[in-house]
Structures are given as C-alpha cells and as structure tokens.
Amino acid sequence: MGAELLRVEDLEVSVGEKEILHGVDLTIGRGETHVIMGPNGAGKSTLAGALMGDPEYTVTSGRIFFDGEELQELAVNERARRGLFLSFQNPVEVPGISLENFVRSALEQRTGKKIRIWEFRKQVRKVLETLQMDRSYAERDLNVGFSGGEKKKAEILQMLLLSPTLAILDETDSGLDVDAVRTVSEGIREFQKDRSASLLIITHNAAILNSLEVDAVHILADGRIAASGGKELIPVIEREGFAEYETSQREEAGA
Amino acid sequence: MSEGKTYVEDVNRAFYDFRFEEKDSFRVQSGLTREIIEQISAEKGDPAWMRDFRLRSLEIFHATDMPLWGPSIEGLDMDNIVTYVRPNTERMHTKWEDVPEDIKDTFERLGIPKSERESLAGVGAQYDSELVYHNVRKEVAEQGVVYTDLESAMHGEYGEMIREHFMKLVPPTDHKFAALHGAVWSGGSFVYVPPGASVEIPLQSYFRLNAAGAGQFEHTLIIVDKGAKLHFIEGCSAPKYNVANLHAGCVELYVGENASLRYSTIENWSKNMYNLNTKRARVEKGGRIEWVSGSFGSHVSYLYPMSVLAGEGAACEFTGVTFAGEGQDLDTGCKIVHGAPDTTSHVNTRSISKSGGVSTFRSAVVVTEKAEGSKSSVSCQSLMLDPISRSDTIPAMDVRTSKADIGHEARIGRISDEAVFYLMSRGLSEEDAKALIVSGFAENVSKELPLEYAVEMNNLIRIEMKGAIG
C-alpha cells in the first residue's frame, strides 16, 4: 500500500435537512485505484461531491484529510489546486471558451505558470486521439452541444491534461455504449500509467473495470461502507447485486 | 485573425480613469441661453443656416418637457453643464505628433494610435468638444471615401449633402435631448462612402470627455451610397468625477440601396455620466444595417438605436449587451420600423445586472400595413448576479398587417451554482468562474466584434466582476 493520500473519517453529509452519508471511513494510498460500487441512492455521488466541496452538500460531522491537509476549510478551487479532480456525472455546458483554452487556463491557474500554446496543443491532440475524439472538439465551446458520451470523454481529457493526484470519477461510464466505455477505460488506463496518481472510481457497472488495475473495492449502501475487499468482490456483485448489503445494513440499524 | 493584432490586456479600472489638468483654450459658461448658443456658433464659424438651426433647436429645447417614462435624470441640472469646451489645440491634426502632448497621451493610453496602425482604415479622435485628430488611409481615400469632421465638411464640397441630411432622421422635435443636441452639437464625424465602394477594414471614432461637469454632443453622420459597404466603430470613455457629465450625441446613418453598414459601439463612460444618446438609421431597398452595441458605463443611459426599414427587402440586425453595476440604471434596447414589404429584423440582446444595478431592455417593433411578408424576431436574455439587482424587459410590438412573421422570446436567469462549482473544480477562483460564465453569456456580442474589441469587452466584464463576489 502506498503512502496515505486521502483519509475520510466518519463522514456525515446532508443535502438540505436530509442526511445521506451516515459515517463513511475511507483511506486511499498514493498510486492506488479504489472502486466504490453501490445501488442507486446509496450516497455515492454525495461522497464524490463532498470530497470536491460541492456547496450543495453539507458536511455535518467527520473529517477529510488530503495529502496531510484538512480539506474542510478549503474552497473548491483550492482543493483542485492541491490535486483533487472530479469527473462530473453531468458536465456543465459553458459557452464562450473552447475546451482547449479552458483546460490551458485552468492548468495555468493551478500551476501559476504560463503554458506554451503550441506545445499544449500537441498534448491535447494526443489525448484526443487516445479518446477517439475528433480534433475539432478542442476548438468547440466547453461541452456545448456535446453528446452525453462526448461530455464524459471530455472529462477524461481534462483529467489527463490536468494530471491531478487524485481523480474521482463519478459514474463516468453511465449512459455510454460499449465502445465508448472501452475508450474511456483506455483513457483511465493511460492515467494509471503515472504510478503516483490515485483514482476513486464510482460506478455500478463492472464493465469499465475489466481492463483496469484495481486495488480495493468498497460497497456503499445506505450511506455507509458496507463491505470492502479486493477486485474479487466485483464478480460477486455482478452475480448477486447489492441486496445483501442493503439488508444487512438495515438489520444492523434495527439491531 | 492575423498574429500581432492589438490586444488590450490587463485593463484595470484606472485604465479609463486617468485624467489630465483641464487646459482647454475656451469654454462657454454653464447653462443654456441664446447668448451661449450664439457664442458657440461664432466660435465654430457656422454657416448661417446652422446658426439658425441651433437657435431654433434651443427654442424647441425650452418648450419640450423632460422625459418622465425612464430612469430618473433628476441629478442632471442643465444649468450646471458646460456645453462647449474647446481643447487646447488650434485645429484638427492629421498626424499624432502634432496633437498636444497630454491629449495625445490620453489616446495613446486608450490604444487608439496603435489600433490605427494595426487594424483600422481610419481614425477620428475627439477630446471634449472638438476633434483633435482625423486621418484615413490613402487606399481608402482613393476609393472616394470621405471621413472627416462635420465642421470642415460643412464648408466644403459636401456642405449641401450635410445640410440635406443633418438632423433629418433625428429632428430636434424628436425629444428634449435631440433639441439640446441640435442647439449645442460639436464634433463628431462625417463619412461618405460612394456607390459600390467597399471599405473592408473598419473606421473608428473615439470620443473622450476629459472636462468635469461638461457635456459632449458629437454628431455622427454617415452616408453609405448604393451598393457600398462600411464598418464603423465608435468608442467612448471618460474619467470619473463627482459632478454630473452629460453625453447627448446623435448618430444618423443613411444606408442606400443594397448598401450595408455595420455600426459597432463599445461605450464605457464613467459612472457619473448621463448618457442620453440618439441613434437612427434609414435603410433603402435591399440595404442592411447591423448594430453591435456594448453598454458598460454611465450612471444613467437611455439608448435605443432605431432602424427605419424604408425600402423593400431592407434588413436590420441588432446585437447588444448591457452590463449594469452598482449605482447604474441602464435603459437600453432598440426600435425597428418595418415600413416596406419583405423587410427583416433580428434582435438579440443580453443584459447583466449586479450589485444593485438596474438593467432594462426596451424594444419596439412596428410593422406597418405596407410591410407585408416581413419577418421580425426579438430575443432578450437577462442575467442577474445577485438578489439586489434588477432586470426588466419591456418589449412592445405594433403590427398592422396579418402577413408578417413576428416572434419574441425573453429569458431572465441567475448564474447557476452548478456551473460555478464545475469551473472551480478545475481550479478557477469563484471570481474567474463567474466572469467566464458572464463572458460566455455576452458572447453573442463579443463574437461580432473585431478581436481586439472582443478582448477589451471581456476585460471590461472582468473589471465589472471584481468585487461581485460576496
């Protein structure tokens, strides 16, 4: 196991009045890939949002440490600057800036260094190729008029260019056809080549994980981590679903 | 766009806010009397018809009531406005070296000579009440294009043409400030593009008001003859003072048969300015007028460029953005009269309000009985950046024929938290995230502008967004 990068301690998170996460513990080491699976409504996206600092979610209790620093007090952009990245389930369309210019200025903001346009363009083109996206996407306004699949690919493109230390992928595979899942998976594998980069992949579909190295799998059900294990958990889930974890959770709560 | 264009970078508020000691050579007393008008007329060496025109306009001014339907202009006391300030230079120059140092420095800071060298076909620069510089590229002049100040043109071979067109589209009886303009107008530009001539790169006039408590009343008269083509850019700014300044300019545009004119404005008056400007175009058969209008400055604005589509198949396109911040009440929009068959108009505007600013979109589309087969679409979108700001939409339509296709769409919204979160998650600060969203919202206008102006507009948005976070 790599040196600790992220540690979540007994995290409770609410949306409005409603508590969604009831005490989540999670530790991710440097260079590790963790997977979170779980049924709809279990709180997977809430966890992703809370880590990134989505104002929609309120952390009511617990702590989050990232690279030794407590995240709670940091603004969203400060978290990004420290190497956190979230691939959105529904990326927002932003007219007025091209995908390429946006990523370049985001990178400049993060690093504080001016980036050479032509070198960056070469890099963008290479990533577009990996993701089987047409070159024209770099020139198009950020996510504007992109299909669902292209939006997801554009998220992976941003991840690859921004090279965060921890990338959280919130159901990046949902709504993608088989080919697109394979392409996105290719992009993630590219990201894994950087041995110090960590991933937290949220999904309820095992297909995207087939060709990836996975260090740990956690089952999130009813706002708690119901089980953790290695890659061997994945086929079990595929066969049997989450029912077992949900029930056991309820029983525990009732006991 | 070619490499090496001018970029107006790193603009900060101080960019427009510098001012120089008022070294004018002559100014009239504040207020409006027959004596003052006669004095201005004599000072300017008007022909007799113009002197009479001024005096008649003054009478109309005194006989006309203040407008009561728009934003308050109570803070404007005409008795305290100096209507004529001659800058400290004997005459208009055609070389920047000859322009007095402080005035030249003003325009240098605003980037005008640089733009002229790099991307304009001609430039006019007005400082307070008079043009201090006018020049046009040789190639353009050789096409027969005239670009000069109205005063000297009035005495030359175009004198009769000016007399025929001056304040015929916007008569002094139009409203109180049109009458005021008729009485005290000074400076501005005269452009004549002969039949078939096509000016591929833009001409620009820049209006700078340096004197505190003064008014600027420039008159822009453009005649684009049959089949000719022109892009004209107007820029304006002033340093901030604690007393009210007044801008009551007038723009008259005559677009001939199958001619086309694009008139772009980036207005960034200081926030003590009352901007009561009147702009109007008349478009003949098959002609086309395109307005691109960015309103950022002034304390109060009344600005509704009007297009009279007088000939069959004439077309108008209006693209505008208005940004009202703290202490600003900007009432902007446009008016279109479809007066002939098969005329078309497209209006597309964005307005943004923040920090208690008020932005009102006001439009009027009139389709006369003669305008069968005409089409009009009006789309206005507003963005309010906080709960204390205000945005209103007042679209009026007066359609007198059933054989026309008229559409209207309005949307008012706020910046989505989700979009801000998304951009911040990539490392942008909240301020930059919001500025980016606002720039994107205003993109309909910026994409219509030449690159350097688009950059300037985005910089203005960035300046306006500073301190918007709270």
Side-chain angles (χ1 to χ4, degrees):
Chain A
M1 181 159 174
E4 178 185 294
L5 179 64
L6 177 82
R7 189 169 82 246
V8 178
E9 286 178 1
D10 200 21
L11 192 69
E12 293 181 9
V13 177
S14 298
V15 176
E17 294 294 296
K18 194 171 175 228
E19 189 175 283
I20 309 285
L21 298 182
H22 312 296
V24 169
D25 293 285
L26 180 68
T27 304
I28 299 178
R30 234 171 247 287
E32 293 179 354
T33 296
H34 287 227
V35 173
I36 292 194
M37 301 183 84
N40 285 328
K44 302 189 298 292
S45 291
T46 304
L47 177 61
L51 291 176
M52 196 70 233
D54 188 340
E56 202 189 328
Y57 303 110
T58 315
V59 174
T60 52
S61 169
R63 303 173 81 177
I64 306 167
F65 294 93
F66 182 70
D67 210 1
E69 193 176 6
E70 185 144 16
L71 278 190
Q72 208 42 40
E73 298 305 316
L74 294 180
V76 178
N77 55 319
E78 289 301 328
R79 297 181 195 207
R81 203 165 282 186
R82 281 163 177 75
L84 209 55
F85 176 89
L86 172 62
S87 164
F88 280 54
Q89 236 188 95
N90 301 303
V92 179
E93 299 193 1
V94 185
I97 188 162
S98 71
L99 174 60
E100 179 176 322
N101 287 344
F102 172 67
V103 182
R104 202 181 66 236
S105 67
L107 203 52
E108 284 177 342
Q109 292 235 359
R110 263 188 46 184
T111 58
K113 281 187 219 139
K114 203 102 181 117
I115 291 165
R116 285 165 191 256
I117 293 179
W118 288 103
E119 283 169 23
F120 187 70
R121 180 156 298 166
K122 268 190 243 159
Q123 232 180 312
V124 171
R125 289 195 171 156
K126 207 173 133 228
V127 177
L128 284 168
E129 220 163 277
T130 307
L131 295 171
Q132 298 184 16
M133 290 173 86
D134 192 86
R135 274 187 180 187
S136 63
Y137 278 93
E139 305 294 320
R140 286 176 60 178
D141 280 2
L142 181 57
N143 297 329
V144 177
F146 288 22
S147 70
E150 299 300 344
K151 279 182 186 167
K152 295 298 182 67
K153 285 184 183 178
E155 293 288 281
I156 297 301
L157 173 135
Q158 292 181 50
M159 174 184 77
L160 287 169
L161 291 167
L162 295 172
S163 45
T165 35
L166 173 63
I168 305 162
L169 310 185
D170 186 10
E171 305 209 11
T172 299
D173 54 338
S174 71
L176 297 188
D177 61 32
V178 185
D179 290 333
V181 168
R182 198 175 300 135
T183 311
V184 163
S185 181
E186 195 73 28
I188 300 172
R189 223 173 37 217
E190 189 68 34
F191 184 69
Q192 284 184 322
K193 281 185 187 161
D194 173 3
R195 288 289 152 190
S196 65
S198 307
L199 274 161
L200 179 60
I201 302 174
I202 294 171
T203 179
H204 44 204
N205 181 351
I208 195 168
L209 305 172
N210 285 340
S211 59
L212 296 178
E213 285 176 36
V214 172
D215 298 293
V217 176
H218 311 276
I219 310 296
L220 185 71
D222 295 329
R224 283 190 182 83
I225 302 285
S228 293
K231 208 174 177 177
E232 72 284 351
L233 263 179
I234 298 169
V236 182
I237 298 290
E238 277 197 296
R239 236 175 13 248
E240 296 166 13
F242 300 109
E244 183 198 343
Y245 302 102
E246 291 187 277
T247 348
S248 67
Q249 204 65 37
R250 260 182 233 120
E251 277 167 7
E252 255 176 56
Chain B
M1 287 281 162
S2 63
E3 295 287 314
K5 277 250 172 193
T6 16
Y7 289 90
V8 186
E9 276 176 343
D10 302 325
V11 188
N12 58 41
R13 203 172 277 285
F15 185 86
Y16 296 99
D17 217 15
F18 62 93
R19 53 174 102 153
F20 287 100
E21 193 190 334
E22 292 170 22
K23 289 196 286 197
D24 46 271
S25 61
F26 169 78
R27 60 166 72 194
V28 295
Q29 295 210 304
S30 57
L32 280 162
T33 61
R34 202 182 158 88
E35 290 66 47
I36 287 175
I37 303 306
E38 279 174 344
Q39 212 183 342
I40 293 174
S41 187
E43 181 68 22
K44 296 183 69 63
D46 280 343
W49 70 268
M50 183 54 82
R51 196 197 62 227
D52 295 345
F53 189 94
R54 288 184 189 277
L55 292 170
R56 220 167 42 245
S57 298
L58 180 70
E59 283 167 24
I60 298 167
F61 173 78
H62 286 307
T64 311
D65 291 331
M66 285 287 227
L68 293 171
W69 46 270
S72 167
I73 46 175
E74 268 177 28
L76 181 66
D77 180 357
M78 282 315 301
D79 293 336
N80 285 327
I81 297 282
V82 179
T83 52
Y84 182 79
V85 182
R86 177 190 283 277
N88 184 25
T89 173
E90 277 310 301
R91 57 194 169 84
M92 196 179 75
H93 304 278
T94 54
K95 284 187 185 138
W96 283 108
E97 301 91 271
D98 300 335
V99 175
E101 203 57 35
D102 56 339
I103 296 177
K104 192 177 92 185
D105 190 29
T106 298
F107 290 106
E108 290 279 0
R109 289 200 202 193
L110 294 166
I112 308 302
K114 187 166 190 286
S115 298
E116 179 185 10
R117 285 193 298 273
E118 290 167 1
S119 54
L120 296 168
V123 159
Q126 176 160 347
Y127 194 78
D128 294 333
S129 297
E130 293 290 352
L131 265 292
V132 293
Y133 175 84
H134 233 135
N135 197 17
V136 62
R137 282 193 196 186
K138 200 163 136 262
E139 314 88 89
V140 177
E142 278 169 359
Q143 284 184 282
V145 174
V146 178
Y147 178 36
T148 183
D149 64 309
L150 211 47
E151 283 87 344
S152 52
M154 214 158 39
H155 292 286
E157 59 175 312
Y158 292 92
E160 203 45 43
M161 187 187 267
I162 290 169
R163 190 174 178 175
E164 269 170 38
H165 292 87
F166 183 83
M167 292 200 84
K168 291 294 193 296
L169 266 183
V170 182
T173 46
D174 212 64
H175 56 81
K176 192 171 181 76
F177 292 94
L180 174 67
H181 180 89
V184 303
W185 77 271
S186 179
S189 296
F190 171 67
V191 184
Y192 175 70
V193 187
S198 180
V199 186
E200 297 298 340
I201 37 180
L203 299 178
Q204 181 183 23
S205 283
Y206 201 97
F207 304 109
R208 175 77 177 176
L209 183 53
N210 187 63
Q216 196 167 54
F217 307 95
E218 85 288 351
H219 193 95
T220 304
L221 175 61
I222 299 179
I223 299 169
V224 185
D225 218 324
K226 286 180 188 174
K229 193 177 164 196
L230 175 69
H231 182 186
F232 191 86
I233 301 171
E234 171 193 81
C236 4
S237 70
K240 183 159 171 59
Y241 293 106
N242 293 324
V243 294
N245 277 33
L246 169 65
H247 176 235
C250 180
V251 174
E252 296 184 289
L253 311 174
Y254 293 86
V255 182
E257 266 184 47
N258 298 316
S260 88
L261 170 61
R262 166 173 284 222
Y263 194 90
S264 304
T265 305
I266 290 217
E267 172 271 304
N268 189 31
W269 293 117
S270 55
K271 289 173 185 172
N272 57 316
M273 181 69 88
Y274 287 82
N275 183 34
L276 312 173
N277 211 11
T278 310
K279 302 181 180 184
R280 204 161 289 173
R282 181 187 161 94
V283 188
E284 306 302 335
K285 186 176 173 182
R288 181 176 179 83
I289 176 78
E290 295 171 1
W291 303 93
V292 180
S293 181
S295 298
F296 291 86
S298 85
H299 170 51
V300 167
S301 273
Y302 281 66
L303 181 63
Y304 325 96
M306 175 174 171
S307 308
V308 180
L309 305 178
E312 197 178 328
C316 163
E317 194 172 289
F318 183 92
T319 311
V321 65
T322 296
F323 196 128
E326 190 178 355
Q328 292 184 281
D329 191 342
L330 307 185
D331 203 300
T332 61
C334 62
K335 183 170 183 178
I336 294 148
V337 177
H338 290 260
D342 302 317
T343 49
T344 56
S345 64
H346 291 285
V347 176
N348 188 3
T349 68
R350 302 282 189 277
S351 58
I352 301 148
S353 51
K354 75 153 182 74
S355 307
V358 179
S359 165
T360 305
F361 171 77
R362 204 184 288 269
S363 69
V365 174
V366 177
V367 183
T368 65
E369 282 168 16
K370 284 183 282 184
E372 286 184 5
S374 290
K375 286 191 184 117
S376 172
S377 69
V378 177
S379 158
C380 52
Q381 294 184 25
S382 315
L383 190 63
M384 282 176 289
L385 301 185
D386 53 50
I388 56 167
S389 300
R390 192 172 153 168
S391 187
D392 291 313
T393 302
I394 309 172
M397 305 228 163
D398 177 359
V399 183
R400 305 285 174 96
T401 170
S402 57
K403 292 173 186 145
D405 180 3
I406 312 295
H408 175 257
E409 173 201 8
R411 278 214 308 256
I412 293 186
R414 297 185 184 282
I415 283 194
S416 101
D417 292 341
E418 199 193 349
V420 175
F421 172 55
Y422 181 71
L423 296 173
M424 286 180 75
S425 82
R426 302 299 189 251
L428 271 67
S429 67
E430 185 174 353
E431 192 173 283
D432 287 341
K434 288 190 171 174
L436 181 56
I437 293 165
V438 173
S439 300
F441 178 77
E443 204 206 1
N444 70 318
V445 173
S446 52
K447 73 167 193 268
E448 296 298 331
L449 292 168
L451 183 60
E452 54 272 42
Y453 298 93
V455 171
E456 180 176 352
M457 195 181 105
N458 282 326
N459 279 329
L460 283 174
I461 287 175
R462 205 158 276 275
I463 295 167
E464 294 296 338
M465 291 302 295
K466 290 253 184 234
I469 313 306

